[in-house]
Amino acid sequence: MRHTRSPRLLCLLTTALLALPALAQQPTTRPTPAPKSAPAKVTPAASSVPAGKAAAKPATATTPAKAAPGKAAAASGTAPAGAKPTVPAKTTVPTKPGTPASGAPAKAAATAPAKPGATAPAPAVAPKPAPAKPVGPPLPANLGSSDPNIRYQNGKTLITQTRYELAMQELEPLAQPGARFERAPEAAYLYAVAATRAKKWAEAEQMLNLLRTEYPGWAGMADAFFLQGQVSFEQGEADNALKMLSQLPAGQLVAERENMKAVYLPRLKDKAQFQTLLTRYPQDATLGRTYADKLANGGWYTDADKATLDQLITQLSLDRSRYTPRPKPAKKSSYNVAVLLPFEFNDPSWEKVRKNQFVTDLYAGMRLAQDSLQREGRPVQLFSYDTGADTLQLKQVLALPELAGMDLIIGPIYKSGSKLLARYAQQHQIICVNPLSQDGDLVLDNGWHYLFESSSATQARLAAQFAFSQFTARTAVVLYEDTKDEAAFAQAYKTTYEALGGKVQALRRINSDVDESLAAGFAGLDLKTVGHLVVASDARKIGPYTLGVLQTQGARLPLLTYASWLENPRISLGQLDARDVYFVHPKYLDKTLPGVRRFRQLYTQRQNLPPSVFAFTGFELLYYFGSQLHQNGPAFQQNLAASGPVSGSVFQGIGYPGGAHDNQYVPFTKLERLELEVLNPVGVR
């Protein structure tokens, strides 16, 4: 849709941009350093102290350590005709830092100036340029060979080189019945292995279906059933996964099968789904033990579950002391909330304060929420703890006896600390909420750990649902940055969109720092024939490049991307206004809402500066979960899962339907009729 241009657009866009995540606001005066004290324990926040001043020293954001993805052992070899290949599937579990670390650009090396009058001697021989480092093992010879045996060997070699998409290209023709290749079953299985390692679950399932249908007598069918179990679990089809695993021949892959179920079953968040599975597989010991653990230690237990839990304890010979649920905490008139943030009280320098102003803003928003809850007759007491920028200080805080008596824990910021606190919360059965992370892996199998933000995969699923409902054409092209988060977004988008009935014609990884990669990402795409384009990238280069390609091709298709494009100085308002662009915008703030206006007014009166998006986040987080404490008590998992999405006070909505532990609400914004209009995909107002 073309848009009418007007001077009013700049004003409205400027207003909208203020509601986006941005750098913390510069205070008008230098904050007064708080007196140094023991970094761990801080007294409860009193309502008479202005928000943000009790923790005037924000933390230093350091780059978290990169976690190594988990992986299963892999082997390869040459399989004789009719025998199973020896390359098993591998599951990669990515990780993500809890909050982006701000880093300074690298400084170029400076050359020391020569002394006056000194002459540098010329080298006798010009230095040779350093040889380029090899980017990886050489590709197999004769890719795409007409000899099926060469292609088969190439496919196996490419799998060992982790070049999974190339391996799939080599093996796919060999697996078809029409090829009449003597090792077609092995080629089909290896194709499925490569697809699972590339997280192309739909392609893997399609090939495994072909393998079971066309080659039912293959000697390695047990491996195919095992791999299908993993694919089904990854696609959220636990029932089919257990069905496939139950078809394994007796005595084969027993330990591997139980290990797979032990990894994936705790990730199920829907109690009703678990009950259905128990009815269908009553003799599955791993399933029963996992459900018993959910009841006793995962916050699922109610009085109606007593008979079921007793039966499972008896049937599976479980330790009754371990599987006896703790008494459900009674509701109280006031609740204690621990706030574990890297305030960095030990460093009062102005540089440290400014670098981590977001921590102070986050806490100041919580203090304002505390006041609001107090006025409504739902008091909460805040206990702030300085966790520093490493896990050592956090461990000291977690060792404090008083922390085990808290009703809710908020924090920390960094990923390594989040894992420590998640284990602590599960052991002590205290719900903890991570305020900033979008890493859904943190809450996969922990019923006591919540994300306040939407995970990347959740954003992608809702974006796909939105696109399918809003765009007439049912085809898409998805480009994503070569990072863990964007890869998760792209794969979840493809899976969801195609499950709804759409088709992702191309799913391509790009590196926006490399011009050749950008060109290759768009190479061969006729965007005039595509229903819509998805670009999952925050990089500065990708926005102008994408808009340039669209202009060159004369393509008018809808574009769905991140809201960070609105902050890109390389993209003009006119470029965005001239296109049909939709933004995934989890932190959208509608300034016309009464809650937003009121919060901004109160915060400005108290802090003498307008609130940053972190201040809004702190307010919404404590107000929402503080309300949950008063409505349902400290163990509110099941009540929260049954309530569905609810409206927020400052953000458009927040909720945890179906037992999910990350925010399931993601608004989308679009430039239309000279205003930013909120398009709500989940019906929350």
Side-chain angles (χ1 to χ4, degrees):
M1 176 186 298
R2 296 192 62 84
H3 308 288
T4 307
R5 303 294 301 278
S6 157
R8 185 182 168 199
L9 175 64
L10 179 59
C11 177
L12 287 166
L13 260 294
T14 304
T15 303
L17 288 173
L18 288 175
L20 301 177
L23 294 174
Q25 307 294 329
Q26 175 79 17
T28 55
T29 59
R30 182 189 300 260
T32 303
K36 294 184 179 180
S37 59
K41 182 176 178 181
V42 182
T43 55
S47 58
S48 60
V49 181
K53 294 184 179 179
K57 301 298 172 286
T60 301
T62 59
T63 304
K66 185 179 295 183
K71 58 184 179 181
S76 63
T78 303
K84 63 184 180 182
T86 57
V87 184
K90 174 176 75 172
T91 303
T92 301
V93 182
T95 56
K96 175 188 175 185
T99 183
S102 57
K107 296 182 180 179
T111 303
K115 295 180 180 180
T119 304
V125 180
K128 296 181 179 180
K133 294 182 179 180
V135 296
L139 288 171
N142 301 322
L143 287 179
S145 172
S146 59
D147 185 339
N149 290 296
I150 293 178
R151 293 193 71 154
Y152 178 78
Q153 293 300 328
N154 286 346
K156 294 177 65 176
T157 300
L158 289 166
I159 290 176
T160 62
Q161 294 178 350
T162 69
R163 290 164 167 155
Y164 304 125
E165 295 186 8
L166 286 176
M168 293 166 64
Q169 294 175 16
E170 288 290 285
L171 295 167
E172 193 274 337
L174 307 180
Q176 304 304 322
R180 300 185 181 278
F181 179 49
E182 62 178 0
R183 294 181 179 176
E186 290 90 336
Y189 176 72
L190 289 174
Y191 175 96
V193 168
T196 57
R197 295 186 181 180
K199 295 188 177 295
K200 295 182 176 292
W201 309 115
E203 289 84 346
E205 182 168 31
Q206 184 178 5
M207 186 58 73
L208 289 170
N209 289 336
L210 181 145
L211 177 59
R212 295 196 307 273
T213 302
E214 299 294 338
Y215 314 106
W218 181 48
M221 193 57 70
D223 291 274
F225 283 127
F226 182 80
L227 190 58
Q228 178 64 66
Q230 180 196 4
V231 171
S232 295
F233 271 129
E234 287 287 351
Q235 292 183 306
E237 301 171 355
D239 190 6
N240 191 63
L242 294 177
K243 179 181 178 181
M244 291 293 106
L245 294 177
S246 67
Q247 297 184 41
L248 287 171
Q252 293 192 32
L253 300 174
V254 176
E256 293 83 353
R257 176 185 61 194
E258 299 309 314
N259 288 338
M260 178 184 290
K261 289 189 290 186
V263 168
Y264 284 101
L265 287 175
R267 300 179 183 181
L268 300 182
K269 306 296 184 183
D270 190 346
K271 185 178 180 180
Q273 182 186 15
F274 239 118
Q275 293 171 335
T276 301
L277 294 175
L278 278 173
T279 303
R280 294 182 180 177
Y281 308 95
Q283 302 304 317
D284 193 314
T286 305
L287 177 65
R289 188 164 47 251
T290 304
Y291 186 62
D293 191 65
K294 290 276 190 181
L295 291 177
N297 305 305
W300 283 16
Y301 183 81
T302 64
D303 293 338
D305 298 311
K306 185 178 186 305
T308 301
L309 183 56
D310 287 341
Q311 179 184 351
L312 290 172
I313 292 174
T314 303
Q315 175 185 340
L316 303 174
S317 301
L318 301 177
D319 183 356
R320 187 170 291 275
S321 62
R322 178 184 174 187
Y323 286 92
T324 299
R326 299 181 186 180
K328 189 174 182 179
K331 290 187 178 181
K332 300 189 297 186
S333 58
S334 179
Y335 292 92
N336 297 330
V337 178
V339 181
L340 277 58
L341 294 176
F343 295 108
E344 296 272 12
F345 291 124
N346 294 331
D347 188 348
S349 66
W350 176 245
E351 292 79 12
K352 184 63 65 67
V353 170
R354 289 303 304 129
K355 185 175 182 180
N356 296 294
Q357 181 71 36
F358 72 97
V359 175
T360 300
D361 292 350
L362 191 69
Y363 185 70
M366 294 182 199
R367 292 295 307 278
L368 208 55
Q370 180 188 25
D371 292 347
S372 297
L373 290 168
Q374 178 72 35
R375 289 194 299 270
E376 297 171 6
R378 296 180 289 179
V380 295
Q381 300 300 318
L382 291 182
F383 294 81
S384 57
Y385 297 84
D386 184 4
T387 60
D390 54 41
T391 58
L392 179 61
Q393 198 164 335
L394 174 61
K395 290 178 180 178
Q396 295 174 352
V397 172
L398 296 180
L400 295 174
E402 67 203 55
L403 203 67
M406 294 294 168
D407 300 304
L408 180 74
I409 301 176
I410 296 174
I413 296 296
Y414 306 119
K415 185 174 185 64
S416 56
S418 296
K419 291 183 176 181
L420 284 175
L421 182 57
R423 288 195 294 269
Y424 179 91
Q426 194 168 33
Q427 292 168 0
H428 293 81
Q429 297 193 1
I430 305 171
I431 291 179
C432 66
V433 183
N434 190 299
L436 299 179
S437 177
Q438 295 182 359
D439 186 1
D441 292 339
L442 290 174
V443 296
L444 275 179
D445 54 358
N446 191 338
W448 299 91
H449 196 188
Y450 283 79
L451 300 182
F452 177 73
E453 303 284 355
S454 301
S455 66
S456 298
T458 292
Q459 293 180 33
R461 286 193 293 269
L462 295 180
Q465 295 169 9
F466 170 79
F468 190 83
S469 65
Q470 295 292 323
F471 305 147
T472 304
R474 294 290 185 253
T475 58
V477 167
V478 180
L479 305 178
Y480 63 96
E481 198 69 32
D482 189 13
T483 63
K484 175 250 175 181
D485 289 332
E486 277 58 57
F489 182 99
Q491 189 58 54
Y493 191 96
K494 181 179 187 297
T495 300
T496 304
Y497 191 70
E498 293 188 339
L500 293 170
K503 176 63 177 176
V504 175
Q505 296 178 334
L507 182 69
R508 297 185 178 180
R509 180 177 60 246
I510 57 174
N511 182 351
S512 296
D513 294 329
V514 180
D515 293 339
E516 293 78 4
S517 178
L518 284 175
F522 286 94
L525 296 178
D526 183 3
L527 297 178
K528 289 184 291 187
T529 63
V530 177
H532 70 280
L533 173 65
V534 180
V535 181
S537 174
D538 286 316
R540 290 289 178 92
K541 280 187 177 181
I542 187 63
Y545 194 95
T546 300
L547 296 175
V549 171
L550 292 176
Q551 183 177 4
T552 301
Q553 294 192 13
R556 306 294 305 173
L557 75 168
L559 169 63
L560 196 153
T561 188
Y562 293 160
S564 58
W565 283 32
L566 290 166
E567 300 174 344
N568 191 341
R570 301 183 182 183
I571 303 175
S572 69
L573 298 179
Q575 287 176 294
L576 295 175
D577 188 37
R579 296 245 166 232
D580 199 15
V581 186
Y582 296 80
F583 302 102
V584 181
H585 203 333
K587 287 298 184 68
Y588 177 76
L589 287 165
D590 184 354
K591 289 197 170 184
T592 65
L593 292 178
V596 176
R597 296 200 306 268
R598 180 58 175 163
F599 174 80
R600 187 179 181 86
Q601 178 186 15
L602 292 175
Y603 189 92
T604 304
Q605 289 175 355
R606 177 169 292 188
Q607 300 295 329
N608 295 319
L609 75 162
S612 70
V613 71
F614 297 105
F616 280 103
T617 296
F619 177 88
E620 187 76 281
L621 187 159
L622 182 62
Y623 187 85
Y624 179 81
F625 284 98
S627 299
Q628 287 294 326
L629 286 172
H630 278 276
Q631 291 173 15
N632 303 307
F636 52 70
Q637 292 98 323
Q638 288 305 301
N639 302 86
L640 189 61
S643 64
V646 298
S647 296
S649 298
V650 292
F651 294 112
Q652 285 292 300
I654 180 174
Y656 298 80
H661 281 244
D662 62 279
N663 188 340
Q664 299 291 295
Y665 180 85
V666 182
F668 296 83
T669 59
K670 180 179 183 295
L671 287 172
E672 190 172 62
R673 299 187 187 92
L674 300 180
E675 64 183 359
L676 280 172
E677 181 180 69
V678 175
L679 302 174
N680 186 345
V682 291
V684 181
R685 289 296 183 187

